[in-house]
Amino acid sequence: MIRFLLAAVMIVLLPMGVSAQGAQVAFGGLQQDTRAPVEVTADSLQVNQADGTALYSGNVVIVQGQMRLAAPRVLVVYSSAGGRIQRMEASRGVTLVSGSEAAEAQRADYNIEAGQVIMTGNVLLTQGPSALTAERMVVNLRDGTAQMSGRVRTVLQQDPDAQDQP
C-alpha cells in the first residue's frame, strides 16, 4: 500500500517539476509585459521625496496589464534615475490575480526591472480547481513560471468527466 501511494505521488508530482529545492509550476496566466503602465488606487498616499518612496494604504489595488495585486499596504520605491518604479513591497495579506490563476500570501515583493514577484508567508496558489501551498513562491513574469519552496503541498483535482485511458 505504501509503495502504491509513493508511486502515485511521484506520478502526480513529476510533471510539475518537483526538485529538492521545491516545485516549479507553470504560471502562464501571469506572463506579461513588465513595461506596461502601472495603475494604483488606495484610500491614502504618503510621498517621501527624500528617499523616493510612496506609501499607499487602505484597500490598495495595483493593476498592470492583466495582473491585479491587492493588499492593505504597498510601498512603492522609485529609482533615483528617471523616477521609474523600481519595486513594490506589498504586506499584511496580499492577493495576486491573473486570469483563472490566483495567489495569496502575507507579503509580496515585485521587482519590476527583474520581472519577478516573490511571495512569502503561507503562500496559496490556485489554478482552476487545483491548489498548491508553500512558504515561498518566486514568479518569473517574463516566462510565466513559478518556483515554490518551503514545505510544498499540492492538491490536484481530477476531472470527474475524464475517461480512464487504457
Side-chain angles (χ1 to χ4, degrees), residues 37-56:
V38 176
E39 179 184 333
V40 182
T41 57
D43 293 338
S44 66
L45 168 64
Q46 296 175 349
V47 177
N48 185 334
Q49 296 289 344
D51 67 2
T53 62
L55 177 62
Y56 292 89

Side-chain angles (χ1 to χ4, degrees), residues 29-90:
L30 282 179
Q31 186 173 2
Q32 74 159 47
D33 180 6
T34 58
R35 296 169 295 167
V38 176
E39 179 184 333
V40 182
T41 57
D43 293 338
S44 66
L45 168 64
Q46 296 175 349
V47 177
N48 185 334
Q49 296 289 344
D51 67 2
T53 62
L55 177 62
Y56 292 89
S57 56
N59 301 309
V60 183
V61 177
I62 298 171
V63 178
Q64 184 181 38
Q66 297 299 310
M67 183 176 70
R68 184 177 68 85
L69 184 143
R73 179 183 187 278
V74 177
L75 179 69
V76 177
V77 179
Y78 293 91
S79 66
S80 56
R84 294 179 52 91
I85 297 174
Q86 187 174 27
R87 69 180 194 280
M88 291 185 272
E89 302 168 1

Side-chain angles (χ1 to χ4, degrees), residues 74-137:
V74 177
L75 179 69
V76 177
V77 179
Y78 293 91
S79 66
S80 56
R84 294 179 52 91
I85 297 174
Q86 187 174 27
R87 69 180 194 280
M88 291 185 272
E89 302 168 1
S91 58
R92 301 183 184 160
V94 180
T95 303
L96 181 66
V97 178
S98 185
S100 64
E101 298 174 334
E104 296 178 358
Q106 291 302 308
R107 179 178 176 88
D109 295 321
Y110 178 16
N111 183 322
I112 293 179
E113 291 178 15
Q116 184 178 74
V117 178
I118 299 174
M119 299 184 80
T120 55
N122 300 318
V123 178
L124 169 65
L125 167 63
T126 58
Q127 295 178 311
S130 298
L132 294 98
T133 62
E135 283 304 309
R136 184 172 195 263
M137 177 173 71

